[in-house]
Every structure is written in structure tokens, then in C-alpha cells.
Amino acid sequence: MKDSEFIRGRVPMTKEEIRTISISKLNLKNCSTFLDVGGGTGSISIQSALDNKDLQVFTIERNKEAVELIHKNIDKFNINNIKVIKEYAPVDYFDKKIDSAFIGGSGGNLEEIIIWLKELLNEDGALVINCIILQTLNESLRILKEQGFEDIECVQASVARLEKLGKGNYFKPLNPTYIISSKRGR
């Protein structure tokens, strides 16, 4: 999906190219449940829900404007397999394990969220974390190792888009993003 297809506001959104890599790392094709923590505009949840019609998607977002945007985008794309939870993660909502999870924002609560997700994820469940700040990258890697997550990988993706500048064109860079993928472990 193109970024331009989403209703946008002042809420951060995982950009199209980063979204593609991140969703690929989630390996959702054999999953029945997916959790998106820090949903923002809902781009990860919406793309995942549209690409996997039988997937039950849960999005946790605490920001009121972001929750409104997610609902607007859900309505725009006529999606019925996303449940939006307006709270600050972690939440006491789930009565069963989930197959895959994504952290796009933690509100400064990263360690508690990762520990919570370790208990919530099925064995070998995938966890993907996106971050743009080096300290968050280092903290994520440390916590994942301490919590026994396995197959920890990290890629740094830098994307630039061609834009007009005067009489010519240039590549306008987007924020480089660190995409960490791992499995819960046994």
C-alpha cells in the first residue's frame, strides 16, 4: 500500500518501504493472531489485516488522535478484523496467546512491554521492533537477549525518495530505521 492511501495527521506512520520489510519479518502467513503495539496511524495493522483476511489483528495505542486516525483508516479500507485497544501497553486484555507482535512505539515502557510480550507470545512467536534512535536499538537488543529471545536479527534500512528540486530532482532521505526481528524462544 502507498503511504498516500492512508488518512494522515500529526501521528507518526511507518513508511511504505519500512512497513514492507517489517511485515515480512513478522511472517504472518501462518498466524491467526497479531498484536501491534504503538499503532500510530494503523499502517502496520491495516496492511497486515488487508493482506491476511483471516488474521485477527489487535492494535494498542494510547494517543487519542492516533486512535481516531486508526478508526478512520479502518473505515476507509472497510476492515473488520482489527480490534483497537486504547490503552498504555502492557494491557490486561488477552485470554489466549498470540502468534506475532510488532512494537512501533513504547512510550518509554520498552522493557515492560517486551517482558509482557514474552509471556503473551506463542512458542517461537515472532517479535519485530522498529526504532530510529540508537539508544532504543541498544536497549531493545539488550532486553531481548536478557529475556531469552532467539534468532535476533537487525537490519538498518535507509530509504530516499526522488523529489523535485528547482529544475532538477534529488533523493530526499527518510529517517534510517532499525528493524529488529526475533523469536520468543522455548
Side-chain angles (χ1 to χ4, degrees):
M1 294 176 64
K2 299 276 186 208
D3 289 346
S4 59
E5 295 181 59
F6 289 93
I7 299 170
R8 304 272 310 270
R10 294 185 314 252
V11 177
M13 181 174 84
T14 303
K15 304 299 186 286
E16 176 182 340
E17 298 82 359
I18 304 302
R19 189 169 56 248
T20 300
I21 296 168
S22 300
I23 291 173
S24 173
K25 297 282 187 185
L26 287 164
N27 195 23
L28 296 173
K29 66 180 178 185
N30 295 319
C31 294
S32 61
T33 53
F34 167 61
L35 172 60
D36 178 0
V37 178
T41 59
S43 67
I44 292 281
S45 292
I46 287 166
Q47 181 79 58
S48 299
L50 286 172
D51 291 348
N52 304 277
K53 302 289 187 194
D54 294 329
L55 183 67
Q56 180 59 55
V57 178
F58 299 93
T59 303
I60 299 174
E61 177 55 61
R62 64 188 175 110
N63 178 288
K64 180 182 177 187
E65 180 184 357
V67 169
E68 290 171 4
L69 278 173
I70 294 168
H71 282 292
K72 286 178 184 177
N73 280 308
I74 288 171
D75 291 343
K76 178 182 179 180
F77 294 105
N78 194 29
I79 299 171
N80 60 12
N81 57 332
I82 297 178
K83 167 71 176 158
V84 181
I85 303 164
K86 185 189 178 307
E87 288 191 45
Y88 195 91
V91 299
D92 186 27
Y93 177 84
F94 298 92
D95 58 357
K96 65 178 184 173
K97 300 270 188 182
I98 58 168
D99 297 315
S100 194
F102 174 80
I103 301 175
S106 67
N109 206 17
L110 184 62
E111 186 161 13
E112 191 174 350
I113 291 170
I114 292 173
I115 292 169
W116 169 65
L117 288 174
K118 182 180 179 191
E119 297 303 316
L120 189 58
L121 280 166
N122 281 321
E123 189 174 291
D124 290 330
L127 172 60
V128 172
I129 304 170
N130 281 7
C131 49
I132 59 172
I133 298 171
L134 282 171
Q135 289 80 0
T136 306
L137 167 67
N138 291 328
E139 183 181 7
S140 297
L141 292 172
R142 176 189 60 79
I143 298 166
L144 289 170
K145 288 175 187 171
E146 287 176 357
Q147 292 301 314
F149 279 80
E150 299 175 351
D151 300 330
I152 300 170
E153 296 179 353
C154 183
V155 297
Q156 189 262 339
S158 296
V159 176
R161 294 183 179 159
L162 188 67
E163 291 199 7
K164 187 132 181 82
L165 180 63
K167 295 180 181 180
N169 296 300
Y170 84 113
F171 279 95
K172 181 179 180 182
L174 301 176
N175 287 330
T177 303
Y178 303 100
I179 302 167
I180 305 164
S181 59
S182 61
K183 290 186 179 178
R184 178 187 173 270
R186 298 170 195 264

